Amino acid sequence: MTTKPKPETGLHKGLTSYGDTAFSLFLRKAFIKAAGYSDDALSRPIVGITNTHSDYNPCHGNVPDLIDSVKRGVLLAGALPMVFPTISIAESFAHPTSMFLRNLMAMDTEEMIRSQPMDSVVVIGGCDKTLPAQLMAIASVDLPAIVLPTGPMLVGNYKGEVLGACTDCRRFWAQHRAGTIDVAETELISGRLCPSVGTCSVMGTASTMACIVEALGLALPLSAAAPAVHADRRRIAEATGKRAAEIAISATPTPCALITAASIRNASIILQAIGGSTNALIHLIAIANRAGVPFDLKAFDQLSREVPVLLNLKPSGAHYMEHFHHAGGLPALLRELAPLLDTTAPTIAGQTIAEIIADAEYVSNQDVIRTLASPLKQEGAMAILHGNLAPDSAVIKHSAASPHLLQHTGRAVVFDGIEDMAARIDSPDLDVNPDDVLVLRNAGPKGAPGMPEAGYLPIPLKLARQGVKDMVRISDARMSGTAFGTIVLHIAPEAAIGGPLAIVRTGDNIALDVEARGIDLLIEPSELARRLAAWQASPPHREIPTRGYARLFEDHVLQADQGCDFDFLLRDGRVKPDPSTASD
Ligand code: FES
């Protein structure tokens, strides 16, 4: 391998502007030598490594270990590792919600990669919004890049039962609300749900995004599921560092060479087959947009009819991420889905998907990765709905819904926002029945703001105590990927900008028909139009932020069906043509 940098590589890249490039390089070297670097080290290709470690983010608690391993790999391959900090976002510590901050992290990561000299970059992330932000960033910069997920946490145990965050968090909390678990027991359980650092151990958003990263070909094989504290995770990190050095030298492939119509379709198939998080759909749209690849919601919905759920993980199934790793991880799942995938798609490993499948481990006597002949569910994880309530779309994760509610008409019980819901949902005076449809509005991208994971409306206390476990719930909010229930999400356009959800009244009837992909308010079109006109005539509907990031978010965030990115961050003018319509 040659280690002599060409001009415009390594330390020569992106010189600070002083009006004298030779002086800029001289000054840069003088300052970096303060850290003890030799001329030999400074002549190497540079691999940037993001540091998203934060005391607020236990999902990234292993990042220092992973950085050590990545650096070892980079050095073994003869390049120079340079670690730099970016924003870190932890789900349960982000106010008002992590989604509000995702685009900020994407901008921060993008600009830090652009502004510092590096020939390739390793982005290390894990908690829900971090991998999406990093993927959006690397697609925009389009510098050779490789992704390293932090990996899932280990499973916990309680009273002889295997459990994990956060599907079981919700199950136990529902039992607490129903009065079968007291406060003291919830304290005990909170010490058992997360027994190690790493990301949630079920198929929540973090695990879903890690699988999508691997399916897109942006991470090495087995990167998605190896537990955060497993030695395999560190070996993958070392191999990631070595590969990052190789792509730094070869200057290829770039992320946009890998994020193509074929790999987005492969990732969509994986999203359906793993029973993935609905949040991941928003992120995948945003990532595709950043790479200039059209994302077709209709085609995505069609996949939901063609791709069965094969992965038997909570919340759709029974097992946890570490079991997925022991069953062969994503390469073994890719093998089962091979007839549906474009296996010619290249990956950052230098192999095609077909070559990765050929190397996949075969684990007999396991029930985690099902076959096409024996799926967990015949249809994919999530369906795209349309109707007069969701003209631009809504989504339902029907793999985690109650089958008897998938076709349901009920009376609307409307909450005007999250505060209204919190104030009234448990009131003994709330007029609500098990067959009603709970409606939450003003919880979308602009409404809340940041589209919080409030779509998992709790079952009203008086019904929970009667043993009601599920009801149809609809909103313009998101839902944690770890949650379950018959829940319609991401209604677009959102109520806060005058989507039809804004004019639903308690007592109206709402029809959900997942088979027909419909979500409708059962009122006359003329009445719908009259109510919408009246809504538009009565602003202000909410307080508009006046300054700072909140104002930027308000002015530029797109709706859920467009990925909730900022309009000015899309890859304008670089949309790749739809292959089915492109001419020679
Ligand atoms: Fe970080 Fe679940 S809270 S991955």
Side-chain angles (χ1 to χ4, degrees), residues 220-221 243 343-357 359:
L220 294 186
R243 186 65 187 139
T343 57
T344 66
T347 75
I348 196 68
Q351 299 170 290
T352 62
I353 296 286
E355 289 166 334
I356 287 171
I357 288 173
D359 290 344

Side-chain angles (χ1 to χ4, degrees), residues 315-316 377 381 396-406 470 483-487 512 514:
S316 298
K377 315 224 173 197
I396 183 168
K397 185 173 178 176
H398 53 75
S399 68
S402 300
H404 71 281
L405 290 174
L406 292 177
D470 194 11
F484 52 88
T486 312
I487 299 173
L512 168 67
V514 175

Side-chain angles (χ1 to χ4, degrees), residues 57 59 90-92 126-128 153 165-166 198-200 206 482:
N57 195 348
C59 308
E91 279 301 293
S92 53
C127 196
D128 294 17
M153 63 178 76
C166 224
T199 51
C200 289
T482 64

